[in-house]
């Protein structure tokens, strides 16, 4: 029988990981956790759609490297390497040397790096080079910076953009399928020769910001100043937020936000926000300003991975989590989705309003407001407005009832007269009905002729 506190530890589970202890001795626990930025999603966070965190076409980084269904893309990674070396007149050793200096930092970026990579550092370095060049070529080819791929290239061409690009974009935004941006920064430094002094680069991250945000969020022009990022997913998340997390006072838990339909019925007016930032949500003077919520095929996978990253990376805010919790409050039913879509606040390719409501419900599973989020202020203000509006309606109903009683039912005899009149009217209608029924029963309609008249 199992122990009430869980399965008993086996002899194998009690073996001490001396390598891990050695790494902990070299660095404090806090320092080690700070270096982590790429995570595996733990089982307790698994979404019912477990493949939401599993790449479908291309592996980036060590977590999914070598899986059978992803091997076909390895050939294209080697082609990208060949194109880059030929075009830049560089040698692969130039990239190898540049990354060797930061190899330990790159390895520490992964929270759960298998021992096979730690034992074979050269293999890990090759993986960083190959995957890094693939990403860089992808960004540069679709931005128009490089044009040495064929028009029928299966990946780096318009043909590729039509057929497989959406799979690559989805895979490149998965929390387990990330590469430290430090890899790309070093590669840009090799190509552009921007290294000045020791390991100091001339704002290569700005070049990468333009490439990454321009590729994943093409509507965002010009690219705002969002600072350095940890990896592609982190940069795209920052692009959605448009700035660092806001410092606000802590809010105590409140009841959930009212739905869009309830708020609309209570007199709330909906307007477009001035920007598309998910933080640009305000409520003032009865007007709720919202950005457009775009819902399409890859929306669920993208948001699930951003939400997972926010939960796993300690120094990352919870802006996206609070946004999803807020939108779920607004879109609580098919009726709410239909209202917001009719007002232009939802752009969807999913087809039905029910699908939109189901999506927000799935995304909001186990989500909650960050108590420090500015959206808490918006939520509380909306709830206060709704309660005041309902009180006003209740007051008007009471006043109407009071005026009715005072003006028309001043004495009990008035009420009795009205009731008696209504009763007599009902009796009269009933008598009329039965009289007409008796007439038609006694005078049935003639049967229709069996043959047409001549």
């Amino acid at each position: 029988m199992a122990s009430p506190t869980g399965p008993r530890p086996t002899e194998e589970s009690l073996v001490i990981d001396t390598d891990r202890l050695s790494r902990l001795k070299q660095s404090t626990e806090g320092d080690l956790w700070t270096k982590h930025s790429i995570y595996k999603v733990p089982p307790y966070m698994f979404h019912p759609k477990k493949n939401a965190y599993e790449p479908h076409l291309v592996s980036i980084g060590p977590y999914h490297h070598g899986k059978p269904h992803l091997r076909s893309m390895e050939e294209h990674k080697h082609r990208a390497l060949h194109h880059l070396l030929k075009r830049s007149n560089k040698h692969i050793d130039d990239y190898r040397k540049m990354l060797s200096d930061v190899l330990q930092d790159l390895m520490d970026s992964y929270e759960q790096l298998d021992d096979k990579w730690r034992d074979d550092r050269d293999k890990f370095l090759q993986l960083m080079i190959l995957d890094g060049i693939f990403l860089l070529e992808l960004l540069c080819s679709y931005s128009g910076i490089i044009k040495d791929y064929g028009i029928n290239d299966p990946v780096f061409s318009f043909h590729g953009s039509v057929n497989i690009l959406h799979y690559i974009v989805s895979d490149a935004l998965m929390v387990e399928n990330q590469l430290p941006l430090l890899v790309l920064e070093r590669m840009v430094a090799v190509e552009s020769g921007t290294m000045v002094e020791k390991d100091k680069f001339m704002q290569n991250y700005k070049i990468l910001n333009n490439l990454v945000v321009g590729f994943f969020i093409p509507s965002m022009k010009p690219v705002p100043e969002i600072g350095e990022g940890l990896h592609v997913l982190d940069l795209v998340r920052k692009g959605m937020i448009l700035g660092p997390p806001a410092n606000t006072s802590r809010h105590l838990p409140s009841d959930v936000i009212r739905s869009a339909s309830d708020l609309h019925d209570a007199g709330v007016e909906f307007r477009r926000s001035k920007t598309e930032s998910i933080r640009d949500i305000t409520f003032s003077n009865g007007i709720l300003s919202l950005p457009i919520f775009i819902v399409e095929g890859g929306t669920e996978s993208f948001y699930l991975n951003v939400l997972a990253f926010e939960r796993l990376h300690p120094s990352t805010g919870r802006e996206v989590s609070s946004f999803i919790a807020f939108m779920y409050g607004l879109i609580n039913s098919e009726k709410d989705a239909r209202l917001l879509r009719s007002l232009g606040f939802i752009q969807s390719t999913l087809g039905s309003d029910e699908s939109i409501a189901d999506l927000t419900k799935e995304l909001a599973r186990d989500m909650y407001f960050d108590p420090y989020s500015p959206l808490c202020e918006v939520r509380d203000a909306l709830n206060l407005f709704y309660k005041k509006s309902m009180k006003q309606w209740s007051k008007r109903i009471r006043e109407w009832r009071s005026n009715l009683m005072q003006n028309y039912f001043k004495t009990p005899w008035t009420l009795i007269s009205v009731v008696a009149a209504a009763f007599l009217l009902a009796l009269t209608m009933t008598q009329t009905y039965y009289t007409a029924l008796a007439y038609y029963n006694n005078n049935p309609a003639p049967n229709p002729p069996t043959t047409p008249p001549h």
Side-chain angles (χ1 to χ4, degrees):
M1 181 176 178
S3 169
T5 57
R8 296 182 182 276
T10 62
E11 184 177 347
E12 182 180 357
S13 67
L14 295 175
V15 175
I16 297 175
D17 188 341
T18 55
D19 291 338
R20 180 174 291 274
L21 285 177
S22 176
R23 292 195 297 271
L24 287 174
K25 288 179 182 178
Q26 298 172 8
S27 174
T28 64
E29 288 183 346
D31 292 337
L32 191 61
W33 289 332
T34 302
K35 294 177 181 179
H36 296 330
S37 62
I38 303 172
Y39 306 86
K40 285 187 176 181
V41 178
Y44 74 88
M45 282 178 53
F46 274 169
H47 189 267
K49 297 180 180 178
K50 295 182 180 180
N51 61 354
Y53 312 109
E54 175 84 13
H56 299 88
L57 183 65
V58 59
S59 68
I60 300 173
Y63 286 162
H64 296 278
H65 178 77
K67 290 188 175 180
H69 69 288
L70 305 175
R71 288 175 184 168
S72 62
M73 286 299 294
E74 296 303 307
E75 173 190 348
H76 300 298
K77 293 180 183 179
H78 284 87
R79 283 199 310 108
L81 173 62
H82 173 73
H83 274 259
L84 177 64
L85 295 179
K86 182 179 178 180
R87 184 190 327 112
S88 64
N89 291 322
K90 303 290 184 181
H91 194 275
I92 192 171
D93 287 340
D94 296 327
Y95 297 95
R96 189 190 304 274
K97 182 178 183 304
M98 189 67 76
L99 291 181
S100 295
D101 297 338
V102 291
L103 181 58
Q104 189 58 52
D105 291 332
L106 298 178
M107 299 179 80
D108 289 341
S109 297
Y110 294 91
E111 182 197 29
Q112 298 182 42
L113 188 62
D114 289 344
D115 289 338
K116 67 177 182 180
W117 299 108
R118 296 191 182 278
D119 295 339
D120 193 342
R121 296 167 69 91
D122 187 62
K123 183 178 180 180
F124 180 82
L125 182 60
Q126 291 180 35
L127 176 70
M128 294 291 103
I129 294 173
L130 202 60
D131 287 1
I133 287 177
F134 174 78
L135 271 180
L136 196 58
E137 289 288 280
L138 191 72
L139 298 174
C140 291
S141 63
Y142 281 101
S143 66
I145 296 177
I146 58 176
K147 300 178 180 179
D148 57 333
Y149 289 94
I151 59 174
N152 60 345
D153 190 282
V155 178
F156 305 98
S157 68
F158 175 77
H159 172 76
S161 69
V162 172
N163 291 282
I164 66 171
L165 182 61
H166 59 287
Y167 293 110
I168 296 176
V169 168
S170 177
D171 289 350
L173 292 175
M174 291 186 172
V175 66
E176 296 185 358
N177 216 33
Q178 297 299 307
L179 200 72
L181 278 186
L182 180 58
V183 173
L184 301 185
E185 288 178 7
R186 295 261 164 165
M187 288 181 171
V188 171
V190 172
E191 286 197 70
S192 59
T194 55
M195 189 174 71
V196 294
E197 302 180 0
K198 289 184 180 180
D199 300 332
K200 207 169 184 179
F201 303 94
M202 297 175 61
Q203 299 183 335
N204 287 328
Y205 77 87
K206 290 187 176 180
I207 299 175
L208 284 175
N209 287 2
N210 288 327
L211 288 173
V212 172
V213 177
F215 178 76
F216 290 97
I217 318 178
S219 61
M220 188 175 292
K221 295 179 181 179
V223 176
E225 175 55 51
I226 54 180
E228 294 187 72
L230 299 169
H231 40 66
V232 165
L233 182 64
D234 183 44
L235 269 188
V236 174
R237 176 188 170 277
K238 287 184 175 181
M240 294 172 58
I241 298 169
L242 297 180
N247 294 320
T248 61
S249 57
R250 188 177 189 277
H251 294 263
L252 295 176
S254 172
D255 51 350
V256 295
I257 185 174
R258 306 301 306 188
S259 70
S261 300
D262 288 345
L263 294 174
H264 189 260
D265 293 341
V268 172
E269 180 182 348
F270 294 82
R271 287 187 185 176
R272 280 281 303 277
S273 300
K274 294 180 180 180
T275 73
E276 296 306 318
S277 169
I278 62 172
R279 291 175 58 196
D280 195 4
I281 299 177
T282 59
F283 179 69
S284 178
N285 298 322
I287 300 173
L288 176 61
S289 297
L290 293 170
I292 291 179
F293 185 40
I294 299 177
V295 180
E296 48 194 14
T299 298
E300 183 175 20
S301 174
F302 167 68
Y303 274 110
L304 285 174
N305 281 274
V306 174
L307 296 173
F309 176 61
E310 285 193 347
R311 295 177 70 176
L312 293 170
H313 193 63
S315 60
T316 300
R318 293 185 55 84
E319 288 84 1
V320 179
S321 299
S322 294
F323 170 73
I324 292 298
F326 187 88
M327 293 306 296
Y328 174 58
L330 290 182
I331 310 172
N332 204 14
S333 68
E334 181 180 353
K335 178 182 178 182
D336 301 315
R338 185 184 307 112
L339 172 64
L340 291 179
R341 183 150 69 163
S342 68
L343 295 175
F345 293 97
I346 295 178
Q347 291 181 1
S348 173
T349 60
L350 294 186
S352 68
D353 298 314
E354 183 180 6
S355 299
I356 299 173
D358 290 342
L359 173 66
T360 56
K361 181 179 180 180
E362 287 300 317
L363 291 177
R365 187 186 298 268
D366 299 329
M367 286 295 107
Y368 59 89
F369 275 106
D370 179 355
Y372 296 92
S373 171
L375 287 181
C376 287
E377 294 180 359
V378 179
R379 175 201 61 191
D380 295 343
L382 282 170
N383 287 341
L384 182 61
F385 181 92
Y386 178 82
K387 290 177 181 178
K388 286 183 177 179
S389 178
M390 291 298 100
K391 286 181 180 179
Q392 290 175 356
W393 276 106
S394 298
K395 182 179 179 181
R396 291 174 185 173
I397 293 174
R398 288 196 301 270
E399 290 176 350
W400 174 80
R401 185 187 304 163
S402 176
N403 291 333
L404 186 66
M405 294 298 295
Q406 291 178 5
N407 295 330
Y408 299 98
F409 302 108
K410 294 181 179 179
T411 66
W413 296 109
T414 305
L415 178 60
I416 293 173
S417 300
V418 171
V419 173
F423 181 71
L424 288 174
L425 178 61
L427 286 177
T428 301
M429 293 177 65
T430 303
Q431 183 179 12
T432 302
Y433 170 78
Y434 281 108
T435 300
L437 183 63
Y439 172 80
Y440 283 110
N441 288 337
N442 294 328
N443 299 274
N447 294 325
T450 57
T451 57
H454 297 285

